[in-house]
Amino acid sequence: MERAAVFDVDGTLVDTNHLHVATWWEAFRQAGHQVPMHAIHRAVGLASTDLIGHLLGEDRDTDQDAQLSAAHKALYGQYFDRLPALPGAGELLRRLSGDGWKVILATSAGGPELGALLRAIDADDAIDATASADDVDAGKPSPEPVEHALELAGVPAERAVFVGDTVWDMRAGSRAGVRCVAVLCGGLPRADLEQAGADSVYADPAGLLATLDESPLA
């Protein structure tokens, strides 16, 4: 019976969360908003419009959303040629693929950003499909990105595991009915991830790979 290993990308497979924090902070600053970096960090993983709404509130001037998103995209795009994969990321995906798992990525990134992330991971041969922001109407914590990944895999939720690094990932996976595994390399506390639905928590992809036989991905 086929199984699916669904992965978030930013902060889970590629070490980008703090780049997002810095570039969102600068985008907000340029637009006249002083948003604390710690608040931005906890919002990373949301789709751009959702992140802006989460940080600036629903009573903000929404006409500014597109400008903020474009500024962040331009600032973050300066790093596309040197995004660093997290330790063990590519090796983990290849091991799972070799073990018979269908490996699916579920990410809010799309277009050139997604291409840069895939180049950083350098494991295209192990990835069966990618569910990007371009494919769904709602981002995490909606279950839609994970559900779409399961559709691509052709695997039901009970035979899938979702790996992510944020509370938004854990909530999305839980709402989709899959087992959730969290990694700490995105910078969020273990307790927050467990409270949001993580069944197991590991330091990073290398840590998960090292104990794979005792994990939900055994």
Side-chain angles (χ1 to χ4, degrees):
M1 298 175 70
E2 290 186 326
R3 305 171 293 174
V6 182
F7 283 84
D8 170 64
V9 179
D10 280 296
T12 301
L13 298 173
V14 186
D15 193 7
T16 53
N17 279 10
H18 290 86
L19 290 175
H20 279 298
V21 171
T23 52
W24 272 116
W25 178 85
E26 178 60 16
F28 284 125
R29 190 198 67 80
Q30 290 177 3
H33 302 287
Q34 296 299 319
V35 183
M37 288 192 184
H38 71 84
I40 298 173
H41 185 201
R42 289 183 172 273
V44 168
L46 293 171
S48 292
T49 300
D50 295 333
L51 180 146
I52 294 166
H54 181 76
L55 293 170
L56 297 186
E58 297 304 318
D59 59 347
R60 70 191 187 282
D61 177 8
T62 56
D63 291 340
Q64 202 178 46
D65 286 5
Q67 174 189 341
L68 285 164
S69 293
H72 165 257
K73 185 176 293 186
L75 290 160
Y76 180 63
Q78 298 175 58
Y79 298 96
F80 279 1
D81 63 346
R82 54 192 187 279
L83 297 180
L86 282 154
E91 294 90 334
L92 174 60
L93 300 191
R94 290 193 179 92
R95 166 69 185 277
L96 290 170
S97 179
D99 286 350
W101 290 80
K102 283 194 170 182
V103 176
I104 314 293
L105 305 185
T107 173
S108 58
E113 180 182 348
L114 177 57
L117 292 166
L118 291 172
R119 288 193 298 275
I121 300 167
D122 191 25
D124 288 355
D125 54 310
I127 299 168
D128 291 280
T130 299
S132 77
D134 303 328
D135 303 320
V136 296
D137 294 324
K140 305 163 195 169
S142 163
E144 189 174 344
V146 180
E147 291 170 345
H148 181 55
L150 297 179
E151 290 173 4
L152 293 174
V155 171
E158 59 267 23
R159 293 209 304 273
V161 176
F162 179 48
V163 184
D165 69 296
T166 69
V167 296
W168 318 114
D169 292 326
M170 299 302 103
R171 290 174 186 172
S174 296
R175 291 169 182 172
V178 303
R179 292 189 70 183
C180 295
V181 169
V183 287
L184 298 172
C185 42
L188 293 183
R190 175 187 294 267
D192 289 6
L193 296 166
E194 290 176 337
Q195 186 175 6
D199 293 310
S200 305
V201 183
Y202 300 86
D204 54 19
L208 175 54
L209 178 60
T211 55
L212 197 64
D213 291 341
E214 292 81 43
S215 79
L217 288 157

Coordinates of all heavy atoms in Angstrom, one line a residue, residues 104-182:
I104 N 6.0 14.3 -1.3 CA 5.3 15.5 -1.9 C 5.7 16.7 -1.0 O 5.7 16.6 0.2 CB 3.8 15.2 -1.8 CG1 3.4 13.8 -2.3 CG2 3.1 16.3 -2.6 CD1 3.6 13.6 -3.7
L105 N 5.9 17.8 -1.7 CA 6.2 19.1 -1.0 C 4.9 19.9 -1.0 O 4.1 19.9 -2.0 CB 7.3 19.9 -1.8 CG 8.6 19.2 -2.0 CD1 9.6 20.2 -2.6 CD2 9.1 18.6 -0.7
A106 N 4.6 20.5 0.1 CA 3.4 21.4 0.3 C 3.9 22.7 0.8 O 4.3 22.8 2.0 CB 2.4 20.8 1.2
T107 N 4.0 23.7 -0.1 CA 4.7 25.0 0.3 C 3.9 26.2 -0.2 O 3.1 26.1 -1.1 CB 6.1 25.0 -0.3 OG1 6.7 26.3 -0.1 CG2 6.0 24.8 -1.8
S108 N 4.0 27.3 0.6 CA 3.4 28.5 0.2 C 4.2 29.3 -0.9 O 3.7 30.3 -1.4 CB 3.2 29.5 1.4 OG 4.4 29.8 2.0
A109 N 5.3 28.7 -1.2 CA 6.2 29.3 -2.3 C 5.7 28.9 -3.6 O 5.1 27.9 -3.8 CB 7.6 28.9 -2.1
G110 N 6.0 29.8 -4.6 CA 5.6 29.4 -6.0 C 6.6 30.1 -6.9 O 7.4 31.0 -6.5
G111 N 6.5 29.9 -8.2 CA 7.3 30.5 -9.2 C 8.8 30.4 -9.0 O 9.3 29.4 -8.6
P112 N 9.5 31.5 -9.2 CA 11.0 31.5 -9.1 C 11.4 31.2 -7.6 O 12.5 30.6 -7.5 CB 11.4 33.0 -9.4 CG 10.3 33.5 -10.3 CD 9.0 32.8 -9.8
E113 N 10.6 31.6 -6.6 CA 11.0 31.2 -5.3 C 11.0 29.7 -5.0 O 11.9 29.2 -4.5 CB 10.0 31.9 -4.3 CG 10.3 31.6 -2.8 CD 9.3 32.2 -1.9 OE1 8.5 33.0 -2.3 OE2 9.3 31.8 -0.7
L114 N 10.0 29.1 -5.5 CA 9.9 27.6 -5.4 C 11.1 27.0 -6.2 O 11.7 26.0 -5.7 CB 8.6 27.1 -6.0 CG 8.5 25.6 -6.0 CD1 8.6 25.0 -4.6 CD2 7.1 25.2 -6.6
G115 N 11.4 27.5 -7.3 CA 12.6 27.0 -8.1 C 13.9 27.1 -7.3 O 14.7 26.2 -7.3
A116 N 14.1 28.2 -6.6 CA 15.3 28.4 -5.8 C 15.3 27.4 -4.6 O 16.4 26.9 -4.3 CB 15.3 29.9 -5.3
L117 N 14.2 27.2 -4.0 CA 14.1 26.2 -2.9 C 14.5 24.8 -3.4 O 15.2 24.1 -2.7 CB 12.7 26.3 -2.3 CG 12.4 27.6 -1.5 CD1 10.9 27.6 -1.2 CD2 13.2 27.7 -0.2
L118 N 13.9 24.5 -4.5 CA 14.2 23.1 -5.1 C 15.7 23.0 -5.4 O 16.3 21.9 -5.2 CB 13.3 22.9 -6.3 CG 11.8 22.7 -6.0 CD1 11.1 22.6 -7.3 CD2 11.6 21.5 -5.2
R119 N 16.3 24.0 -5.9 CA 17.7 23.9 -6.2 C 18.5 23.8 -5.0 O 19.5 23.1 -4.9 CB 18.2 25.2 -7.0 CG 17.7 25.3 -8.4 CD 18.4 26.4 -9.2 NE 18.2 27.7 -8.7 CZ 17.1 28.5 -9.0 NH1 16.2 28.0 -9.8 NH2 17.0 29.7 -8.5
A120 N 18.1 24.4 -3.9 CA 18.8 24.3 -2.6 C 18.7 22.9 -2.1 O 19.7 22.3 -1.6 CB 18.2 25.3 -1.6
I121 N 17.5 22.3 -2.2 CA 17.4 20.9 -1.6 C 18.1 19.9 -2.5 O 18.7 18.9 -2.0 CB 15.9 20.5 -1.6 CG1 15.1 21.5 -0.7 CG2 15.7 19.1 -1.1 CD1 13.6 21.4 -0.8
D122 N 18.1 20.1 -3.8 CA 18.9 19.3 -4.8 C 18.5 17.8 -4.6 O 19.4 16.9 -4.5 CB 20.4 19.5 -4.5 CG 21.2 18.9 -5.7 OD1 20.7 18.7 -6.8 OD2 22.4 18.5 -5.4
A123 N 17.2 17.5 -4.6 CA 16.8 16.1 -4.5 C 15.5 15.9 -5.4 O 14.6 15.2 -5.1 CB 16.4 15.8 -3.1
D124 N 15.6 16.5 -6.6 CA 14.4 16.4 -7.5 C 14.1 15.0 -7.8 O 12.9 14.6 -8.1 CB 14.7 17.2 -8.8 CG 14.6 18.7 -8.6 OD1 14.3 19.1 -7.5 OD2 14.9 19.4 -9.6
D125 N 15.1 14.1 -7.9 CA 14.9 12.7 -8.2 C 14.1 12.0 -7.2 O 13.5 10.9 -7.5 CB 16.3 12.0 -8.4 CG 17.1 12.2 -7.1 OD1 17.3 13.3 -6.7 OD2 17.7 11.2 -6.6
A126 N 14.0 12.6 -6.0 CA 13.2 11.9 -4.9 C 11.8 12.5 -4.7 O 11.0 12.0 -3.9 CB 14.0 12.0 -3.6
I127 N 11.5 13.6 -5.3 CA 10.3 14.3 -5.1 C 9.3 13.9 -6.2 O 9.5 14.1 -7.4 CB 10.5 15.9 -5.1 CG1 11.5 16.3 -4.0 CG2 9.2 16.6 -5.0 CD1 12.0 17.7 -4.1
D128 N 8.1 13.4 -5.8 CA 7.1 12.9 -6.7 C 6.3 14.1 -7.2 O 5.8 14.1 -8.4 CB 6.2 11.9 -6.0 CG 7.0 10.6 -5.8 OD1 7.1 9.8 -6.7 OD2 7.4 10.4 -4.7
A129 N 6.0 15.1 -6.4 CA 5.1 16.2 -6.8 C 5.3 17.3 -5.8 O 5.7 17.2 -4.7 CB 3.7 15.8 -6.9
T130 N 4.8 18.5 -6.2 CA 4.8 19.7 -5.4 C 3.5 20.4 -5.4 O 3.0 20.7 -6.5 CB 5.9 20.7 -5.8 OG1 7.2 20.0 -5.8 CG2 6.0 21.9 -4.9
A131 N 2.9 20.6 -4.3 CA 1.7 21.4 -4.1 C 2.1 22.8 -3.7 O 2.5 23.0 -2.6 CB 0.8 20.8 -3.1
S132 N 2.1 23.8 -4.6 CA 2.6 25.1 -4.3 C 1.4 26.1 -4.1 O 0.2 25.7 -4.2 CB 3.4 25.7 -5.5 OG 2.6 26.1 -6.5
A133 N 1.8 27.3 -3.7 CA 0.7 28.3 -3.4 C -0.1 28.6 -4.7 O -1.3 29.1 -4.6 CB 1.4 29.6 -3.0
D134 N 0.4 28.3 -5.8 CA -0.3 28.6 -7.1 C -1.4 27.6 -7.3 O -2.3 27.8 -8.2 CB 0.7 28.5 -8.3 CG 1.8 29.4 -8.2 OD1 1.6 30.5 -7.6 OD2 2.9 29.1 -8.7
D135 N -1.5 26.5 -6.5 CA -2.4 25.4 -6.7 C -3.6 25.4 -5.8 O -4.5 24.6 -6.0 CB -1.7 24.1 -6.6 CG -0.5 23.9 -7.5 OD1 -0.6 24.3 -8.7 OD2 0.6 23.4 -7.0
V136 N -3.6 26.3 -4.8 CA -4.7 26.2 -3.8 C -5.2 27.6 -3.6 O -4.6 28.6 -3.9 CB -4.2 25.6 -2.5 CG1 -3.7 24.2 -2.6 CG2 -3.0 26.5 -1.9
D137 N -6.4 27.7 -3.0 CA -7.1 29.0 -2.8 C -6.7 29.5 -1.4 O -6.7 30.7 -1.2 CB -8.6 28.8 -2.8 CG -9.1 28.5 -4.2 OD1 -8.5 29.0 -5.2 OD2 -10.1 27.7 -4.4
A138 N -6.4 28.6 -0.4 CA -6.1 29.0 0.9 C -4.8 28.4 1.4 O -4.6 27.2 1.1 CB -7.3 28.7 1.9
G139 N -4.0 29.1 2.1 CA -2.7 28.6 2.6 C -2.9 28.1 4.0 O -4.0 28.1 4.6
K140 N -1.9 27.5 4.5 CA -1.9 27.0 5.9 C -2.2 28.2 6.8 O -1.8 29.3 6.5 CB -0.5 26.4 6.3 CG 0.0 25.3 5.3 CD 1.5 25.1 5.5 CE 2.0 24.3 4.3 NZ 3.5 24.3 4.3
P141 N -2.9 28.0 7.9 CA -3.3 26.7 8.5 C -4.5 26.0 8.0 O -5.0 25.0 8.5 CB -3.6 27.1 10.0 CG -4.1 28.5 9.9 CD -3.4 29.2 8.7
S142 N -5.0 26.5 6.8 CA -6.1 25.7 6.2 C -5.5 24.4 5.8 O -4.3 24.3 5.4 CB -6.5 26.5 4.9 OG -7.2 25.6 4.0
P143 N -6.3 23.3 5.8 CA -5.8 22.0 5.4 C -5.6 21.8 3.9 O -5.1 20.8 3.5 CB -6.9 21.0 6.0 CG -8.1 21.9 5.9 CD -7.7 23.3 6.3
E144 N -6.1 22.8 3.1 CA -6.1 22.7 1.7 C -4.7 22.3 1.1 O -4.7 21.4 0.2 CB -6.7 24.0 1.1 CG -6.9 23.8 -0.4 CD -7.6 25.0 -1.0 OE1 -8.1 25.9 -0.3 OE2 -7.6 25.1 -2.3
P145 N -3.6 23.0 1.5 CA -2.3 22.6 0.9 C -2.0 21.1 1.1 O -1.5 20.4 0.3 CB -1.3 23.5 1.6 CG -2.1 24.7 2.0 CD -3.5 24.1 2.4
V146 N -2.3 20.6 2.3 CA -2.0 19.2 2.7 C -2.9 18.3 1.9 O -2.5 17.3 1.4 CB -2.0 19.0 4.2 CG1 -1.7 17.5 4.5 CG2 -1.1 19.9 4.9
E147 N -4.2 18.7 1.9 CA -5.2 17.8 1.2 C -4.8 17.8 -0.3 O -5.0 16.7 -1.0 CB -6.6 18.4 1.3 CG -7.1 18.3 2.8 CD -8.4 19.1 3.0 OE1 -8.7 20.0 2.2 OE2 -9.0 18.8 4.1
H148 N -4.4 18.9 -0.9 CA -4.0 18.9 -2.3 C -2.8 18.0 -2.5 O -2.7 17.2 -3.5 CB -3.7 20.3 -2.8 CG -3.3 20.3 -4.2 ND1 -4.1 19.8 -5.2 CD2 -2.2 20.9 -4.9 CE1 -3.5 20.0 -6.4 NE2 -2.3 20.6 -6.2
A149 N -1.8 18.0 -1.6 CA -0.6 17.1 -1.7 C -1.1 15.7 -1.6 O -0.5 14.8 -2.4 CB 0.3 17.4 -0.5
L150 N -2.1 15.3 -0.8 CA -2.5 14.0 -0.7 C -3.2 13.6 -2.0 O -3.1 12.4 -2.5 CB -3.5 13.8 0.4 CG -2.9 14.0 1.8 CD1 -4.0 13.8 2.9 CD2 -1.7 13.1 2.1
E151 N -3.9 14.5 -2.7 CA -4.6 14.2 -4.0 C -3.5 13.9 -5.0 O -3.6 13.0 -5.8 CB -5.4 15.4 -4.4 CG -6.7 15.6 -3.6 CD -7.4 16.9 -3.9 OE1 -6.9 17.6 -4.9 OE2 -8.4 17.3 -3.3
L152 N -2.4 14.7 -5.0 CA -1.3 14.5 -5.9 C -0.7 13.1 -5.7 O -0.3 12.4 -6.7 CB -0.3 15.6 -5.8 CG -0.7 17.0 -6.2 CD1 0.4 18.0 -5.9 CD2 -1.0 17.0 -7.7
A153 N -0.6 12.7 -4.5 CA 0.0 11.4 -4.2 C -0.9 10.3 -4.4 O -0.5 9.1 -4.6 CB 0.5 11.4 -2.7
G154 N -2.2 10.5 -4.4 CA -3.2 9.5 -4.5 C -3.3 8.6 -3.3 O -3.5 7.4 -3.4
V155 N -3.0 9.2 -2.1 CA -2.9 8.5 -0.9 C -3.9 9.1 0.2 O -3.9 10.3 0.3 CB -1.5 8.5 -0.3 CG1 -1.4 8.0 1.1 CG2 -0.5 7.8 -1.3
P156 N -4.6 8.3 0.9 CA -5.5 8.8 1.9 C -4.8 9.3 3.1 O -3.6 9.0 3.4 CB -6.4 7.6 2.3 CG -5.6 6.5 2.0 CD -4.7 6.8 0.8
A157 N -5.4 10.2 3.9 CA -4.8 10.8 5.1 C -4.2 9.8 6.1 O -3.1 10.0 6.7 CB -5.8 11.7 5.8
E158 N -4.9 8.7 6.2 CA -4.4 7.7 7.2 C -3.1 7.0 6.8 O -2.5 6.3 7.7 CB -5.5 6.7 7.5 CG -6.0 5.9 6.4 CD -7.2 6.5 5.7 OE1 -7.4 7.7 5.8 OE2 -7.9 5.7 5.0
R159 N -2.7 7.2 5.6 CA -1.4 6.6 5.2 C -0.4 7.7 4.8 O 0.5 7.5 3.9 CB -1.6 5.7 4.0 CG -2.4 4.4 4.3 CD -2.1 3.2 3.4 NE -2.2 3.5 2.0 CZ -3.4 3.3 1.3 NH1 -4.5 3.0 2.0 NH2 -3.4 3.6 0.1
A160 N -0.5 8.8 5.5 CA 0.4 9.9 5.2 C 0.9 10.5 6.5 O 0.3 10.4 7.6 CB -0.4 11.0 4.4
V161 N 2.1 11.1 6.4 CA 2.7 11.9 7.5 C 3.1 13.2 6.9 O 3.6 13.3 5.8 CB 4.0 11.2 8.0 CG1 4.7 12.0 9.1 CG2 3.6 9.8 8.6
F162 N 2.9 14.3 7.7 CA 3.2 15.7 7.3 C 4.3 16.2 8.2 O 4.2 16.1 9.4 CB 2.0 16.6 7.3 CG 2.3 18.0 6.9 CD1 3.0 18.3 5.8 CD2 1.8 19.1 7.7 CE1 3.3 19.6 5.4 CE2 2.1 20.4 7.3 CZ 2.8 20.6 6.2
V163 N 5.4 16.7 7.6 CA 6.6 17.2 8.3 C 6.6 18.7 8.1 O 6.7 19.2 7.0 CB 7.9 16.6 7.9 CG1 9.0 17.0 8.7 CG2 7.8 15.0 7.9
G164 N 6.7 19.5 9.2 CA 6.8 20.9 9.1 C 7.4 21.5 10.3 O 7.9 20.8 11.2
D165 N 7.5 22.9 10.3 CA 8.3 23.5 11.4 C 7.5 24.6 12.1 O 8.1 25.2 13.0 CB 9.6 24.2 10.8 CG 9.3 25.3 9.9 OD1 8.6 25.1 8.8 OD2 9.6 26.5 10.2
T166 N 6.3 24.9 11.7 CA 5.5 26.0 12.3 C 4.2 25.5 12.9 O 3.7 24.4 12.5 CB 5.2 27.1 11.3 OG1 4.2 26.6 10.4 CG2 6.5 27.6 10.6
V167 N 3.6 26.3 13.7 CA 2.3 25.9 14.3 C 1.3 25.9 13.1 O 0.3 25.1 13.2 CB 1.8 26.9 15.4 CG1 2.8 26.8 16.6 CG2 1.7 28.3 14.9
W168 N 1.5 26.7 12.1 CA 0.5 26.7 11.0 C 0.6 25.4 10.2 O -0.4 24.9 9.8 CB 0.9 27.9 10.0 CG 1.2 29.1 10.7 CD1 2.4 29.8 10.7 CD2 0.3 29.9 11.5 NE1 2.3 30.9 11.5 CE2 1.1 31.0 12.0 CE3 -1.0 29.8 11.9 CZ2 0.5 32.0 12.8 CZ3 -1.5 30.8 12.7 CH2 -0.8 31.9 13.2
D169 N 1.8 24.8 10.1 CA 2.0 23.5 9.5 C 1.2 22.4 10.3 O 0.5 21.6 9.8 CB 3.5 23.1 9.4 CG 4.3 23.9 8.5 OD1 3.7 24.4 7.4 OD2 5.5 24.2 8.7
M170 N 1.5 22.4 11.6 CA 0.8 21.4 12.5 C -0.7 21.5 12.4 O -1.4 20.5 12.4 CB 1.4 21.6 13.9 CG 2.9 21.4 14.1 SD 3.5 19.8 13.5 CE 4.2 20.2 11.9
R171 N -1.2 22.7 12.4 CA -2.7 22.9 12.4 C -3.2 22.4 11.0 O -4.3 21.8 11.0 CB -3.0 24.4 12.7 CG -2.8 24.8 14.1 CD -3.0 26.3 14.3 NE -2.6 26.7 15.6 CZ -2.6 28.0 16.0 NH1 -2.9 28.9 15.2 NH2 -2.3 28.3 17.3
A172 N -2.5 22.8 10.0 CA -2.9 22.3 8.6 C -2.9 20.8 8.5 O -3.9 20.2 8.0 CB -2.0 22.9 7.6
G173 N -1.9 20.2 9.0 CA -1.8 18.7 8.9 C -2.8 18.1 9.8 O -3.5 17.1 9.4
S174 N -3.0 18.6 11.0 CA -4.0 18.0 11.9 C -5.4 18.1 11.3 O -6.2 17.2 11.4 CB -4.0 18.7 13.3 OG -2.7 18.5 13.9
R175 N -5.7 19.3 10.7 CA -7.1 19.5 10.1 C -7.3 18.6 8.9 O -8.4 18.2 8.5 CB -7.2 20.9 9.7 CG -7.4 21.8 10.9 CD -7.3 23.3 10.6 NE -7.3 24.1 11.8 CZ -7.1 25.5 11.8 NH1 -6.9 26.1 10.7 NH2 -7.2 26.1 12.9
A176 N -6.1 18.2 8.2 CA -6.2 17.3 7.1 C -6.3 15.8 7.5 O -6.5 15.0 6.7 CB -5.0 17.5 6.1
G177 N -6.1 15.6 8.8 CA -6.2 14.2 9.3 C -5.0 13.4 9.2 O -5.1 12.1 9.3
V178 N -3.8 14.0 9.0 CA -2.6 13.2 8.9 C -1.8 13.3 10.2 O -2.0 14.2 11.0 CB -1.7 13.7 7.7 CG1 -2.5 13.7 6.4 CG2 -1.2 15.1 7.9
R179 N -0.9 12.4 10.4 CA 0.0 12.5 11.5 C 1.0 13.6 11.2 O 1.5 13.7 10.1 CB 0.8 11.1 11.7 CG -0.1 10.0 12.2 CD 0.8 8.8 12.6 NE 1.5 9.1 13.8 CZ 2.4 8.2 14.3 NH1 2.6 7.0 13.7 NH2 3.0 8.5 15.4
C180 N 1.4 14.3 12.2 CA 2.2 15.5 12.1 C 3.6 15.3 12.8 O 3.6 14.9 14.0 CB 1.6 16.7 12.6 SG 0.1 17.2 11.7
V181 N 4.6 15.5 12.1 CA 6.0 15.5 12.7 C 6.6 16.9 12.5 O 6.4 17.6 11.5 CB 6.9 14.5 11.9 CG1 8.3 14.7 12.3 CG2 6.4 13.1 12.1
A182 N 7.2 17.4 13.6 CA 7.7 18.8 13.6 C 9.2 18.7 13.7 O 9.8 17.8 14.3 CB 7.2 19.6 14.8

